[in-house]
Amino acid sequence: MTTILRAGRREIIRHPSRVPRRSRTERRAPVAPSFCDPSAMEALAVRLSGLDPYVDGAMRIVAFYDTLMRRRVDLPALARASAGLAECVAGIRLHGTGRSTRVSPQGTQASTPPAPASTEVPITLDEEEIGTVWLERPGPPNPLDEVLLDRFALAAAAAAERYGPARTTMADPALVELAVSSDSDDAARARALRLLGFAPDLPVHVVAVRTSLPLDRVGTLVCPGRPVKAAPLADVGVILATTLDRTGFPAGVRAGIGGTGSPDRSWRQARTALRFTTPREPVVHHADLGALALLADIPEEAVRDNPDVTAIDRLSPEDLETLDTYCATASVRRAAELLHLHHSSIARRLDHIGRTLALDLTAPAGLTRARLALTTWRLLHN
């Protein structure tokens, strides 16, 4: 017997929707939000009418600075334009110079004492802060000052990139110290050199200087037309330059020149070379010292205990000049010509100096000892 199984049809029970059905007309009609009552709409209109002048002013500021950047203005012109637009003193400070430029709304250098500045905005170039811009508004800040300062900083970064971080010679001493200090790491030193305006691939000489002349004048004389920075550091002036003209140092300047390796090493060499300078040789390059540079590493106690060195203290200034000239020339007649004296007078002086030092200055060994003693004595007093 065959059994045929048949599945019964299941009845589908439809439950009523929880959302009441609406007509087409009802579905098309927009539902007004609860906040759009007349009072809320009036408040929104007031807010929008208040924004219109702000937006219009901001757009004018953006267009103003865009025009300045297209015209490739430099930093002084940018400061003058910003002061005129803001109707107050505008300032620019670049870390590479350590100086501030403050311009009045009339376009002249501000002579009034600095007023409390509104918020300073950093000048950023390649993700590095190279300076700041600010406004000195005597009254309350203008609502558009924030927009103005932002565009001011952008334009200043563009001008600094175009014309260099600084076209002045004097630099921020803190940056110079960071560039030449042995305590700085490579990253900090590279950043300091960049902020000072030196390209990464350019060699940099470091010069230690003692002078009563302005350092910026000395810097421009020894490195005309090329990147050069100068700053006082402790009791010594520092000059950083890509190239050097040794003949450009003015009279009365003592200078020690380091090599073109790492700036911290060049600074150590420059200070050592400065100690070897004399009135007769006021500019000394460390590379020219050779083995003489080793004398600078002798401990001071050992120098003071040496009889040849201590004997130099017993010479008069006249005898010191005669000994220096004779050691430089190794010739009695040549020394006489340089000192404008008769050679017999020089011979008598050298005989007296030899007895004081207990040395025979006419013998090669005695002359060598005298040279070493005189050089080491100078190092002790320099």
Side-chain angles (χ1 to χ4, degrees):
M1 181 175 180
T2 306
T3 302
I4 301 176
L5 301 177
R6 294 184 179 182
R9 180 179 297 176
R10 300 181 62 183
E11 184 177 358
I12 301 176
I13 302 175
R14 298 181 180 273
H15 296 280
S17 174
R18 296 180 181 179
V19 180
R21 295 176 61 84
R22 292 180 299 172
S23 65
R24 286 178 177 269
T25 305
E26 290 174 336
R27 289 197 296 268
R28 288 179 180 177
V31 180
S34 60
F35 65 85
C36 286
D37 57 82
S39 60
M41 293 297 292
E42 184 178 354
L44 180 61
V46 171
R47 289 182 60 192
L48 291 176
S49 64
L51 284 176
D52 283 345
Y54 178 86
V55 173
D56 181 65
M59 292 179 64
R60 290 177 182 272
I61 289 174
V62 171
F64 177 80
Y65 280 102
D66 285 347
T67 301
L68 292 179
M69 286 190 282
R70 285 197 301 270
R71 292 181 178 177
R72 298 177 177 270
V73 298
D74 57 8
L75 289 172
L78 178 62
R80 289 193 297 271
S82 300
L85 178 64
E87 298 182 348
C88 67
V89 173
I92 300 178
R93 180 188 300 109
L94 291 180
H95 299 329
T97 65
R99 295 180 176 179
S100 300
T101 299
R102 299 172 58 247
V103 182
S104 69
Q106 291 74 32
T108 59
Q109 292 292 327
S111 57
T112 57
S118 55
T119 304
E120 292 192 10
V121 173
I123 304 171
T124 305
L125 185 61
D126 293 341
E127 300 182 356
E128 292 183 357
E129 182 181 330
I130 64 171
T132 56
V133 297
W134 71 91
L135 300 176
E136 298 175 15
R137 194 176 295 283
N142 190 294
L144 290 168
D145 281 354
E146 184 177 353
V147 178
L148 193 152
L149 283 168
D150 285 340
R151 303 304 298 187
F152 187 8
L154 287 173
E161 183 177 27
R162 183 177 301 115
Y163 298 109
R167 297 194 296 180
T168 59
T169 300
M170 293 304 294
D172 184 355
L175 273 182
V176 172
E177 183 175 9
L178 188 62
V180 302
S181 174
S182 57
D183 296 331
S184 303
D185 55 33
D186 292 339
R189 184 175 296 109
R191 182 176 183 275
L193 289 173
R194 172 177 169 76
L195 292 176
L196 289 168
F198 293 99
D201 56 341
L202 286 179
V204 177
H205 287 277
V206 183
V207 185
V209 178
R210 281 201 176 94
T211 178
S212 59
L213 299 175
L215 282 175
D216 54 348
R217 177 185 170 190
V218 178
T220 53
L221 287 174
V222 299
C223 186
R226 299 294 299 276
V228 57
K229 296 296 174 186
L233 194 60
D235 60 336
V236 180
V238 185
I239 294 177
L240 284 78
T242 52
T243 60
L244 279 174
D245 178 11
R246 296 178 59 173
T247 64
F249 286 98
V253 174
R254 297 282 189 95
I257 304 173
T260 56
S262 177
D264 59 324
R265 181 183 179 187
S266 183
W267 173 232
R268 291 193 300 270
Q269 293 175 346
R271 286 184 299 173
T272 298
L274 180 63
R275 297 177 62 191
F276 282 88
T277 59
T278 67
R280 187 172 303 282
E281 193 175 5
V283 179
V284 174
H285 199 300
H286 186 271
D288 297 335
L289 292 174
L292 288 176
L294 298 175
L295 295 175
D297 297 329
I298 300 176
E300 183 176 333
E301 296 77 9
V303 173
R304 294 187 182 278
D305 291 340
N306 186 273
D308 285 356
V309 177
T310 55
I312 299 293
D313 282 325
R314 297 194 292 269
L315 298 179
S316 66
E318 184 181 73
D319 288 340
L320 278 173
E321 184 182 20
T322 302
L323 179 62
D324 177 47
T325 307
Y326 178 69
C327 288
T329 60
S331 168
V332 173
R333 291 189 176 275
R334 180 59 181 154
E337 292 175 3
L338 293 176
L339 294 175
H340 306 289
L341 295 170
H342 195 273
H343 63 86
S344 61
S345 299
I346 296 297
R348 285 194 298 271
R349 286 188 183 182
L350 291 176
D351 182 65
H352 168 70
I353 294 171
R355 289 196 302 271
T356 303
L357 301 180
L359 295 174
D360 182 5
L361 297 180
T362 62
L367 180 58
T368 300
R369 285 177 58 182
R371 284 172 172 167
L372 288 174
L374 183 60
T375 301
T376 309
W377 179 85
R378 284 206 182 96
L379 290 175
L380 186 64
H381 291 80
N382 284 343

